[in-house]
Amino acid sequence: MAADEFSLIKRYFSNCGAAGSATLLGVGDDCALLAPPVGEVLAVTTDTLLAGVHFPDNSPARLIAQRALAVNLSDMAAMGATPRWFQLALTMPDADQDWLAGFSAGLDAMARQFNCALVGGDTTRGPLTISITLMGTVPAAQALKRSGAKPGDRIYVTGSLGDGAAGLAALEGKLSASVEDCAYFNDRFWQPQARVAQGLELREFASAAIDISDGLLADLGHITEASEVGALLEVDKLPLSQALHRAAGSKLGLSWALTGGDDYELCFTVPANGLAQCQRLIDTGLLSATPIGQIIDGQGVRCVDEDGQSVAVECSGYKHF
Ligand code: ADP
Ligand code: MG
């Protein structure tokens, strides 16, 4: 690699995030050296963002960086793992210093908020692509897999749903809303709040979890498939924000909540013996979550109204292929 490329890495990426004792050696050598806590296993996830596919071309660099790390943090949250280190594979058309300064500032802020460190990566020239590999740790027996749901478990979701899709629609000029509501949707799209702290709480009592990146129907479908169970989803109970009600109305809002992507909330299941603990966390404000259905024998996700009657919805999350 040319000297100026290394000085670029040194300048923008060598002190990014929160340095912790678990990092023995970070950016600058052939490999990073990491020391996971004794008794925990590594949880590793990668997400790639492509300009023009995952965010509009010419978006602000700071926001792109924050979103790229946030979507990885969301996977870590859904596993009940503590984020610790990440690698950045950055492909960009040129080495624009302003762009790099904004990008590294956004990355640094998000990394510090979640107490993780950039420990290495790769830098290449080409169409703008950001690929982050995030590593965390979790006691093996406490990892929140998709495969643990059992008939009788309650289904919950954190936060509110559909705002990410509204954010994308607003960015693309396809949604008219008040200035305040647009600002809210914009934040929800660009700076999804990865539910890392909640994921750690869930380890105590949840039987399965997933983060909602492709829409609740698709992602809950991953839990039912991995757990070999079915699900009843009470659509009247889905948490929609006031802004979504105002801007999209209940019909489009519901459809975005079910099939829109980009919410990065957690969907999790709780067996009967964990319900009281879950409710205590909700009551004390440590967990913001809403019960939205029930795991049953069978397969697939069936949407029902408050009388238990089936409701037809278009079922599909975002698919790349
Ligand atoms: P090598 O050729 O040995 O793979 P590189 O020249 O690609 O090493 O990278 C030099 C050092 O800079 C390595 O420690 C690598 O992890 C780090 N690095 C390269 N690109 C980035 C990046 N975008 N962010 C963080 N670290 C990076
Ligand atoms: Mg390299």
Side-chain angles (χ1 to χ4, degrees), residues 1 6 9 13 26-30 88 90 118-123:
M1 187 174 70
F6 194 65
I9 291 166
F13 298 123
V27 168
D29 213 311
D30 298 315
L88 166 68
L90 177 62
L118 177 58
V119 295
D122 202 19
T123 307

Side-chain angles (χ1 to χ4, degrees), residues 77-138:
M79 211 67 203
T82 304
R84 297 187 187 276
W85 314 278
F86 64 103
Q87 302 252 93
L88 166 68
L90 177 62
T91 303
M92 53 191 175
D94 48 35
D96 181 318
Q97 302 290 316
D98 286 345
W99 192 92
L100 279 162
F103 186 87
S104 68
L107 203 59
D108 183 60
M110 182 64 71
R112 281 177 199 275
Q113 186 187 337
F114 287 91
N115 212 20
C116 54
L118 177 58
V119 295
D122 202 19
T123 307
T124 49
R125 187 188 296 270
L128 182 60
T129 309
I130 299 99
S131 187
I132 288 181
T133 297
L134 177 65
M135 292 158 280
T137 62
V138 59

Side-chain angles (χ1 to χ4, degrees), residues 41-197:
V41 295
L42 278 177
V44 183
T45 180
T46 300
D47 262 305
T48 299
L49 299 192
L50 271 165
V53 175
H54 297 95
F55 56 86
D57 286 313
N58 301 316
S59 298
R62 180 180 57 87
L63 295 181
I64 296 171
Q66 295 194 337
R67 187 159 195 276
L69 188 50
V71 300
N72 278 282
L73 287 161
S74 178
D75 281 319
M76 202 54 57
M79 211 67 203
T82 304
R84 297 187 187 276
W85 314 278
F86 64 103
Q87 302 252 93
L88 166 68
L90 177 62
T91 303
M92 53 191 175
D94 48 35
D96 181 318
Q97 302 290 316
D98 286 345
W99 192 92
L100 279 162
F103 186 87
S104 68
L107 203 59
D108 183 60
M110 182 64 71
R112 281 177 199 275
Q113 186 187 337
F114 287 91
N115 212 20
C116 54
L118 177 58
V119 295
D122 202 19
T123 307
T124 49
R125 187 188 296 270
L128 182 60
T129 309
I130 299 99
S131 187
I132 288 181
T133 297
L134 177 65
M135 292 158 280
T137 62
V138 59
Q142 290 187 24
L144 296 171
K145 293 186 276 195
R146 298 177 179 184
S147 54
K150 295 268 181 328
D153 292 359
R154 285 297 277 159
I155 305 167
Y156 288 79
V157 68
T158 61
S160 62
L161 297 178
D163 295 333
L168 188 58
L171 276 180
E172 291 173 339
K174 294 178 186 156
L175 179 72
S176 58
S178 68
V179 175
E180 294 81 37
D181 287 347
C182 274
Y184 168 80
F185 294 136
N186 200 52
D187 277 0
R188 290 277 290 168
F189 178 82
W190 279 116
Q191 300 179 63
Q193 295 300 304
R195 304 300 182 187
V196 171

